[in-house]
Amino acid sequence: MIYLDYAATSLKRGDILKYIMENKELFDANPDSVHSMGRRASALLDQARGKLADSICAEPDEIIFTSGASESNNWVLDNFRGDEIVSSKIEHASILNKLDHTDSKITLLNAGQDGLIKVEDIKRAVNDQTKLVTIQYVNNESGAIQPVKEIGEFLKDKDVWFHVDCTQALGHIKIDINEIGCDSASFSGHKLGGLNGFGFLYARKPLENLIYGGEQENKRRGGTSFVAGAFSMSESIEPMYKENESLRELKKLMLENLRVPYEVNGDLKVQSNHILNLYFPFERNDLLMTYLDMNGVCVSAGSACSAGSPEPSYVISNMYDEDRARKSIRFSFGFANKKDDIIKTCDLINDFYERNENG
Ligand code: PMP
């Protein structure tokens, strides 16, 4: 298999899973238990919290463990029910679908063909009533890196909460949360090679709880702690940053080896290294994904969160139009990809084109 769907979820890192299995007793107990096994698990949780905080230049008590970025995003939006909110049409479903259920007055901005939300549009949309601005750092479908620092600079002296969904940014772009100047931010472990179902919310100021329960997370989020999840995420960040340059090479290699008509969706100059979204203007484009799948190549069109649905990507539709979105495929790269995987994938696309379009 050739896995080019890391933006949906990364393959899990074997060395980390092996460590967890070989040291299972460290992860077994509930860290809130006062016995020695509990205390050991608690120490591991603290260690992970410290590393995760360091990775975004935050303080450990600003990090609240959650089940992932969807929960973190929902949590923040839940605090702004009924308020005026500014966001964009290309946010992740955990923002857009939650906004549909908040009775808020929402302004959703469009992206340009470069995939970017314009700071000028934010400035125009924010008014005296605005309580929240929520914008992602890196788009999960186009890879576009949004101007979050400029937005943070604009909002700095205003009484507006600024939330940034950093799910696709961590591991790819160095994050200093203070430089962004946001009040909260979401993160997820499984995009980096950690276990699914673990992430965290960075919150600089208090929020009303979303999940009440035990006294975990300093009484801010109930639920038995996921020690292996926290550990796996905290150990995945450093390798991810080290691998990042090689992902840029893979992206370049793909563009060099395609001998078919294609266009890049968005602007390569403002994109993360791990995502490449391509438009293939062929007649039989609808069969291309199936052809790649039949030949062992895993890619996506649209986001995995709407998988199984025949809908084209709303992100690419917003940047261009629906027809282009229907003929676009997202390739996303990660630690297990080799140059050979990319060349084989390009060969398959080239062969498909030769047979179906030129034959
Ligand atoms: N935001 C973005 C930008 C994402 O890419 C994703 C995952 N597709 C999420 C939020 C949701 O993350 P999780 O799976 O951890 O809930």
Side-chain angles (χ1 to χ4, degrees), residues 2 292 297 339-349:
I2 298 178
L292 289 175
V297 180
K339 286 185 177 168
D340 208 35
D341 295 342
I342 305 301
I343 290 169
K344 277 189 194 142
T345 303
C346 289
D347 286 348
L348 283 168
I349 299 173

Side-chain angles (χ1 to χ4, degrees), residues 180-312:
I180 301 175
C182 55
D183 299 293
S184 58
S186 303
F187 298 87
S188 180
H190 72 97
K191 305 290 180 185
L192 305 160
L195 293 170
N196 295 20
F198 178 84
F200 66 89
L201 177 72
Y202 157 83
R204 202 156 60 86
K205 295 185 268 182
L207 287 163
E208 170 76 29
N209 286 11
L210 178 71
I211 298 181
Y212 285 95
E215 299 198 345
Q216 292 88 358
E217 299 301 304
N218 232 341
K219 303 189 186 160
R220 291 172 296 181
R221 196 264 189 190
T224 305
S225 307
F226 184 9
V227 186
F231 174 81
S232 67
M233 182 175 185
S234 69
E235 293 299 312
S236 297
I237 297 174
E238 206 181 302
M240 183 85 250
Y241 279 116
K242 285 200 181 124
E243 289 144 12
N244 197 256
E245 191 55 25
S246 68
L247 305 189
R248 197 166 67 91
E249 294 298 318
L250 297 181
K251 192 165 171 171
K252 199 163 141 249
L253 194 66
M254 176 133 208
L255 295 172
E256 285 166 359
N257 279 273
L258 284 173
R259 291 187 309 278
V260 303
Y262 74 83
E263 285 173 33
V264 174
N265 286 324
D267 179 351
L268 287 172
K269 293 195 291 297
V270 287
Q271 278 176 13
S272 173
N273 291 335
H274 73 302
I275 297 179
L276 179 63
N277 200 308
L278 297 179
Y279 165 51
F280 294 104
F282 324 151
E283 273 303 301
R284 301 314 315 270
N285 173 288
D286 52 332
L287 295 179
L288 178 56
M289 261 197 55
T290 314
Y291 181 74
L292 289 175
D293 190 24
M294 278 164 40
N295 285 284
V297 180
C298 303
V299 294
S300 283
S303 83
C305 306
S306 51
S309 115
E311 292 301 303

Side-chain angles (χ1 to χ4, degrees), residues 7-8 67-71 73 92 94 136 138-140 165-168 186-191 197-199 303-305:
S67 63
S70 295
E71 181 188 326
N73 285 338
H92 185 258
S94 56
Q136 68 208 171
V138 171
N139 183 270
N140 47 306
D165 177 356
C166 294
T167 309
Q168 296 283 350
S186 303
F187 298 87
S188 180
H190 72 97
K191 305 290 180 185
F198 178 84
S303 83
C305 306

